[in-house]
Amino acid sequence: MAEPGRPQRVSHGIAGTWPAGRTASAGGFAPAGFGAWPALVETSRQWASAEAGAGRLLPWVPVAFGSGIALYFAADHEPVLWVVATTAIALMLGAVLLRRSRLFAPALLIAAVAAGFAIATWKTARVAHTVLAKPLYSVSLSGFVETRDIRERTDRFVLRVTAMEAQRSDVKLERVRLSVRKGTAPEVGSFVQLKARLMPPISPVRPGSYDFSRDMFFQGIGASGFVMGAITAAVPPDAGGLRLRYAAFMQGLRDAIDARIRATLEGDNRAIATALLTGRRDAITAPVNEAMFVSGLGHVLSISGYHMAVVAGVVFFAVRALLALIPGLAVGFPIKKWSAAAALVAAAFYLLLSGAEVATQRSFFMTAVVLIAVMVDRRAITFRTLAVAALIVLAVAPEALVHPSFQMSFAATLGLVALVQIGMPNLFASPDHSATARIALWGGREIAMLFLASLIAGLATTPYAAFHFHRVTPYGVLANLGAMPVVSALVMPAGLLGLLAAPFGLDGVFWWLMGIGIDWMVAVSRWVAALPGAVGRLPAFGIAPLIAASLGIIVMGLLRTPLRWSGGLVLLAAILWGLSVRPPDILIAGDGQSVAVRGRDGHLHVIRASKDSFLLKEWLAADADPRDAGSASLADGVSCDDAGCVTPLADGRLVALAVRIDALADDCSRAALVVTARPAAPDCAAMVVDRQRLAAQGALALTRRGDGFAVQAVKARGADRPWAPATASEGDFGASLAPPAAASRNRDATPSEADMQAED
């Protein structure tokens, strides 16, 4: 007999899940098979009915809403706003009219897709501004400094332009981002005059890589570049507005906090402490930054849901403990709700202090929804809470959907909520007299939950880390188990106490304590990063496997019945799909100055006419190549002179990069493919990628197909988006390259050096 108050164990085996059916006789395979199918169909129908029950629809609404946003970003050209908005309103009204019908659920999800598409279209129209299309080499700028970043080697600031003059150009930009020599960035809120060299926003360096120009567009930035000469302070034409004064105040507060931390800590400890409290993480040195990300602790450096949860949790429990010391308050007043309100205020202040970036806004909204649920006596950690937070974030910043921080954060949160809703009750359902309960007295359950949380969050974010960063962290659970308890119990609480004590001049000891915890975190990250196989590199794969993996994770996270394991099958198929993607044979930079060719050894061999190390790092990472941008082996097999370079493909055909115009004739007669940043002659006997094609398609990835190549381009045919405007092009370039049909080329008569030496 079951004990009163004890949780009852529910069997999830065949006997408890499958309905009773006919059993097969000893020698009857066919009767058993035919008898199982009706049972399987009936059980599946029951599971599907349970998934469609009351309260199960809301978590799918943000999934549909986000699908609409994804469709918007997949469009080739900008949709017509009034058509999109009218369609969304009509579909939402239709869903309201069908609210008592069986068609309500599909109607609501279709309306959510249309609403997401419309919100993204409206946000783009609202922030629309001019984007620089061509470089400007000497531009006079005047304006207000809105933000400033202190980085390891250079500083950077965003200038809100009030006046702009450029030779042979009448383009007017609203904001530009400029790099300056370290220590020379002007103060936020100041009005300056300067000369700068401006470049268009960074386009993807290869097809499928991250589009930084889209991020800059939604930040209102139309160009990037660097300052030429001195920066002159001037008298502003106006006060700059309330927003600018607020930005100057918050920047001054961050600088004051950094100065207080600098008085006690130095080096990476100071940089990490500042990053955790103010969001400024660019001053962290490259080795420590790399170790943090390789070990799986990189999420600590970016203010996210974890930081918001720690800040809100510390304030919540501290306020509640203090109020509980007063008997009159503890008995007669809702001190739990008061504590939640205090935690909400602290989280809001942390949001403003850290710069209120999109990732931080997302974290705040999720934390706020949880705290408000506590204040209105609702369960705090549920799928509904996650759904509401996702809807708020996507409605405010639809562009966040395509950002890796949003994808990884919500995937991890979905996994953790599923753990709390499904896994934790099963883990805590054991009898109190068992060995599990005795171990729990020594913290066994807490350790198990920390292990499971790290494991599930790591697994949920793996597809997105593999897609965006081309690597996985096999020892991420180990690093999180070693470092996160110290970060949660020492580093973040000490930082909060330091902020409170700073106005009284008593903050030094708290920064010292924070530094001790950071030392431990860095030591753990370095140790884990040095373990054999700590860097799991994966070649780049397309967006389709990532979409399939996302679908699998969502199904596994949101479904409650055994149907959720179908998501595991989808996830497995997505993994196999991603691993089977064939890497390209040739990569061509958008400016035509760099080419990477896969040789007989299977590795990329690089022809470089520029020193773009960022591009080379991305190419190597996407190829799962452990070499760095300065490796001498990248030039193996490459022959160069003043006119250009050549290197062979795996099949022996030559690829040439023509630097000078007089090299084109020779390259056209010898090479199978000629790449040049200049216009090529139409009678070239080789396949050609020249200025016109690069201007129309951007960076290219070529894969061998017969004697020609299949072409994958950054800019799809006919694509024209506000952050990547289409350029006027005289040619219409397709998705393939083929040798000229009537090409007549002279055979190269030059003997190889090895043959000549053998003859001698």
Side-chain angles (χ1 to χ4, degrees):
M1 174 178 263
E3 293 183 46
R6 300 285 188 195
Q8 300 303 306
R9 187 180 299 276
V10 179
S11 173
H12 294 282
I14 295 178
T17 302
W18 294 77
R22 297 181 179 179
T23 57
S25 59
F29 175 80
F34 285 116
W37 278 110
L40 177 62
V41 172
E42 177 62 21
T43 303
S44 299
R45 187 189 66 80
Q46 293 176 2
W47 288 341
S49 299
E51 295 294 352
R56 300 293 181 89
L57 180 60
L58 180 59
W60 291 98
V61 174
V63 175
F65 191 83
S67 299
I69 296 174
L71 287 175
Y72 165 79
F73 284 109
D76 289 333
H77 58 84
E78 198 62 19
V80 180
L81 179 58
W82 72 267
V83 174
V84 171
T86 303
T87 303
I89 293 172
L91 289 173
M92 286 188 287
L93 290 175
V96 172
L97 295 176
L98 293 172
R99 64 186 182 277
R100 300 187 183 278
S101 168
R102 290 185 177 182
L103 299 176
F104 173 67
L108 179 62
L109 295 181
I110 293 173
V113 172
F117 195 96
I119 284 291
T121 306
W122 173 78
K123 178 65 179 291
T124 301
R126 186 170 65 85
V127 302
H129 58 88
T130 303
V131 175
L132 186 66
K134 296 181 179 180
L136 297 177
Y137 295 101
S138 182
V139 185
S140 298
L141 297 171
S142 299
F144 293 95
V145 179
E146 289 192 334
T147 64
R148 183 183 64 181
D149 294 329
I150 308 299
R151 303 191 294 172
E152 183 182 0
R153 295 185 178 180
T154 60
D155 294 343
R156 191 169 63 187
F157 65 93
V158 173
L159 186 73
R160 190 178 76 197
V161 179
T162 58
M164 176 177 176
E165 294 181 3
Q167 296 179 354
R168 298 186 296 276
S169 177
D170 57 355
V171 64
K172 300 298 180 183
L173 303 175
E174 296 181 11
R175 287 179 178 82
V176 296
R177 188 173 66 190
L178 302 172
S179 296
V180 295
R181 182 178 299 175
K182 189 169 181 62
T184 61
E187 296 291 333
V188 173
S190 60
F191 184 83
V192 297
Q193 296 175 341
L194 52 88
K195 284 188 175 294
R197 178 174 295 180
L198 299 180
M199 305 294 292
I202 302 175
S203 60
V205 298
R206 60 170 184 81
S209 67
Y210 193 73
D211 192 352
F212 293 96
S213 64
R214 182 179 55 214
D215 281 355
M216 294 180 65
F217 174 82
F218 283 100
Q219 294 172 18
I221 300 174
S224 61
F226 58 90
V227 173
M228 301 170 59
I231 301 174
T232 304
V235 178
D238 54 63
L242 181 61
R243 181 176 179 180
L244 186 65
R245 291 196 294 271
Y246 160 76
F249 171 78
M250 294 306 300
Q251 186 66 42
L253 183 59
R254 296 186 197 104
D255 291 341
I257 293 171
D258 183 62
R260 295 300 306 164
I261 295 174
R262 192 188 299 269
T264 304
L265 304 177
E266 59 184 14
D268 286 311
N269 282 13
R270 190 270 304 174
I272 292 175
T274 300
L276 293 177
L277 296 178
T278 67
R280 292 178 5 186
R281 57 184 182 274
D282 293 326
I284 303 171
T285 59
V288 171
N289 195 63
E290 180 70 11
M292 294 287 289
F293 279 93
V294 169
S295 65
L297 292 175
H299 64 91
V300 178
L301 302 180
S302 177
I303 293 179
S304 60
Y306 165 76
H307 302 78
M308 280 289 176
V310 171
V311 170
V314 169
V315 173
F316 176 85
F317 288 110
V319 172
R320 191 175 184 184
L322 291 175
L323 294 177
L325 296 177
I326 306 174
L329 291 178
V331 175
F333 295 92
I335 62 173
K336 181 179 179 181
K337 297 181 180 181
W338 292 2
S339 303
L344 182 60
V345 172
F349 174 75
Y350 190 42
L351 169 71
L352 300 177
L353 180 64
S354 59
E357 296 181 353
V358 172
T360 316
Q361 292 177 27
R362 180 198 65 245
S363 306
F364 170 75
F365 289 138
M366 184 174 297
T367 305
V369 170
V370 171
L371 293 173
I372 293 172
V374 173
M375 295 167 64
V376 296
D377 294 323
R378 295 296 183 94
R379 292 183 63 186
I381 304 177
T382 64
F383 290 111
R384 291 185 177 185
T385 302
L386 179 62
V388 172
L391 281 174
I392 295 174
V393 172
L394 292 176
V396 173
E399 69 275 11
L401 179 76
V402 293
H403 198 278
S405 67
F406 175 90
Q407 298 166 5
M408 297 177 73
S409 176
F410 270 96
T413 307
L414 176 61
L416 295 176
V417 173
L419 174 64
V420 171
Q421 295 289 302
I422 301 172
M424 190 177 292
N426 292 334
L427 182 65
F428 287 173
S430 56
D432 290 344
H433 60 272
S434 66
T436 305
R438 291 195 295 269
I439 295 174
L441 295 176
W442 300 92
R445 284 181 178 172
E446 286 72 16
I447 295 175
M449 289 306 302
L450 179 59
F451 174 82
L452 287 175
S454 300
L455 178 63
I456 290 175
L459 292 176
T461 57
T462 293
Y464 307 99
F467 178 81
H468 292 287
F469 310 116
H470 319 298
R471 61 186 180 187
V472 295
T473 55
Y475 302 128
V477 174
L478 182 62
N480 280 275
L481 285 175
M484 295 314 295
V486 175
V487 176
S488 302
L490 178 60
V491 175
M492 291 301 296
L496 293 177
L497 292 174
L499 292 178
L500 294 175
F504 304 97
L506 303 174
D507 54 325
V509 64
F510 298 110
W511 306 135
W512 175 76
L513 290 172
M514 197 176 184
I516 293 176
I518 293 174
D519 279 332
W520 173 260
M521 181 178 66
V522 172
V524 169
S525 67
R526 289 182 181 275
W527 173 68
V528 172
L531 293 175
V535 182
R537 293 182 174 88
L538 292 174
F541 51 89
I543 189 66
L546 183 68
I547 294 174
S550 301
L551 177 61
I553 292 172
I554 291 170
V555 168
M556 291 181 67
L558 292 185
L559 297 188
R560 305 289 185 87
T561 66
L563 284 177
R564 65 176 178 269
W565 300 117
S566 62
L569 297 177
V570 175
L571 183 59
L572 177 61
I575 293 173
L576 296 177
W577 188 1
L579 294 177
S580 65
V581 173
R582 178 184 173 184
D585 295 293
I586 300 174
L587 292 168
I588 303 174
D591 59 1
Q593 298 294 314
S594 300
V595 180
V597 179
R598 195 174 305 280
R600 290 188 177 92
D601 58 359
H603 296 300
L604 293 177
H605 302 274
V606 182
I607 306 173
R608 302 176 66 185
S610 66
K611 297 181 179 180
D612 191 345
S613 59
F614 173 76
L615 174 140
L616 201 51
K617 288 178 181 178
E618 172 62 23
W619 280 1
L620 294 174
D623 205 53
D625 195 326
R627 294 176 293 177
D628 58 39
S631 175
S633 63
L634 294 173
D636 290 347
V638 178
S639 301
C640 294
D641 57 24
D642 292 340
C645 301
V646 295
T647 191
L649 277 161
D651 59 8
R653 293 183 296 170
L654 295 179
V655 177
L657 174 63
V659 177
R660 295 199 325 224
I661 192 70
D662 54 359
L664 283 173
D666 191 37
D667 290 338
C668 284
S669 65
R670 297 186 177 189
L673 174 68
V674 176
V675 179
T676 178
R678 302 175 180 274
D683 59 348
C684 181
M687 292 173 282
V688 175
V689 174
D690 63 354
R691 177 189 296 175
Q692 291 183 1
R693 184 160 199 146
L694 293 172
Q697 295 187 306
L700 302 175
L702 310 184
T703 305
R704 284 184 296 165
R705 181 180 294 172
D707 293 333
F709 297 93
V711 179
Q712 186 180 6
V714 164
K715 299 178 182 178
R717 190 174 183 178
D720 184 13
R721 303 309 299 269
W723 52 87
T727 57
S729 177
E730 299 178 0
D732 185 14
F733 304 99
S736 63
L737 271 173
S744 61
R745 65 172 71 210
N746 297 324
R747 187 177 179 183
D748 186 9
T750 306
S752 66
E753 294 184 5
D755 292 339
M756 293 177 64
Q757 292 175 359
E759 291 292 338
D760 293 341

